[in-house]
């Protein structure tokens, strides 16, 4: 019986390799279960909405947040990861500045995507007029993601517009689908 007790104690001891791996598996399984619940809930709610753009964004954000919280909790439980976490945090601050400068256009698209999703100036299904390098185009909004917006013009061509362009342009909303 003492062998079984020692095995269980070793599996739950975050200081041992076996315990750290076992606890990591438990945390990952719990986080994955919560993510599945978030996806199913978003799907159920989406069935009752006419515009699911904001719901998709919130669902994806919540899923990333669940895994991030799970990792932080796991790192807090395993003592050897606390020092690594501190070092990673210091390194991440330097890397974030470098990445921020290198990816300012991408980050600008993300911020503009947040604005489009949250303020809902345009919605999926709206028909808009937008200035393009080829002149003013009339198109229907098909997808609004965080990085870009997909429009379908009158000739059924997809026009992919970065969100910082969408936010920086004057948009004329020609029509809105009923129920929006």
């Amino acid at each position: 019986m003492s062998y079984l007790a020692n095995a269980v104690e070793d599996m739950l001891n975050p200081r041992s390799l076996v315990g750290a791996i076992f606890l990591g598996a438990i945390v990952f399984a719990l986080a994955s279960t919560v993510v599945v619940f978030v996806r199913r809930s978003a799907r159920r709610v989406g069935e009752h909405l006419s515009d699911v753009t904001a719901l998709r964004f919130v669902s994806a954000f919540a899923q990333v947040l669940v895994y991030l919280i799970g990792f932080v909790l796991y790192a807090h439980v395993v003592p050897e990861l606390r020092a690594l976490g501190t070092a990673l945090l210091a390194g991440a601050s330097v890397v974030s500045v470098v990445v921020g400068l290198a990816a300012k256009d991408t980050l600008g698209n993300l911020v503009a995507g947040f604005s489009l999703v949250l303020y809902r100036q345009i919605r999926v299904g709206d028909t808009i007029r937008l200035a393009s390098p080829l002149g003013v185009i009339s198109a229907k909004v098909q997808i609004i993601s965080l990085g870009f917006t997909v429009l379908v013009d009158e000739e059924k061509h997809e026009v992919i517009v970065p969100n910082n362009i969408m936010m920086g342009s004057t948009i004329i909303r020609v029509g809105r689908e009923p129920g929006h």
Side-chain angles (χ1 to χ4, degrees):
M1 188 69 173
S2 68
Y3 175 74
L4 182 61
N6 286 340
V8 170
E9 182 180 326
D10 197 34
M11 285 182 68
L12 296 177
N13 182 1
R15 294 186 184 277
S16 72
L17 179 62
V18 172
I21 291 171
F22 182 72
L23 290 173
I26 289 174
V27 169
F28 181 75
L30 289 173
S32 296
T33 303
V34 172
V35 164
V36 167
F37 175 75
V38 167
R39 284 183 190 150
R40 287 182 182 166
S41 298
R43 210 174 298 129
R44 282 189 204 121
V45 170
E47 293 172 355
H48 304 291
L49 298 176
S50 57
D51 183 12
V52 295
T53 306
L55 178 67
R56 287 180 185 158
F57 166 73
V58 169
S59 174
F61 185 71
Q63 291 172 41
V64 169
L65 197 60
V66 165
Y67 281 120
L68 184 63
I69 289 171
F71 178 74
V72 168
L73 290 175
Y74 175 70
H76 183 70
V77 169
V78 178
E80 286 76 14
L81 291 180
R82 287 185 193 152
L84 177 64
T86 303
L88 287 176
L89 185 60
S93 62
V94 172
V95 169
S96 66
V97 170
V98 171
V99 169
L101 292 173
K104 67 178 181 170
D105 290 337
T106 302
L107 293 174
N109 284 332
L110 289 175
V111 171
F114 277 114
S115 296
L116 285 172
V117 168
L118 295 177
Y119 297 129
R120 299 172 51 106
Q121 298 103 330
I122 59 170
R123 300 177 187 162
V124 173
D126 286 357
T127 302
I128 63 170
R129 287 195 184 135
L130 177 72
S132 78
L134 302 174
V136 176
I137 62 167
S138 182
K140 190 172 190 173
V141 178
Q142 185 178 28
I143 298 171
I144 301 173
S145 72
L146 290 181
F148 57 87
T149 300
V150 178
L151 309 172
V152 177
D153 67 8
E154 295 164 339
E155 299 171 359
K156 304 295 183 208
H157 295 121
E158 282 189 346
V159 180
I160 301 169
V161 183
N163 282 338
N164 60 358
I165 302 295
M166 292 294 290
M167 289 300 293
S169 300
T170 301
I171 299 171
I172 301 170
R173 187 174 36 240
V174 179
R176 177 163 280 171
E177 282 190 355
H180 282 63

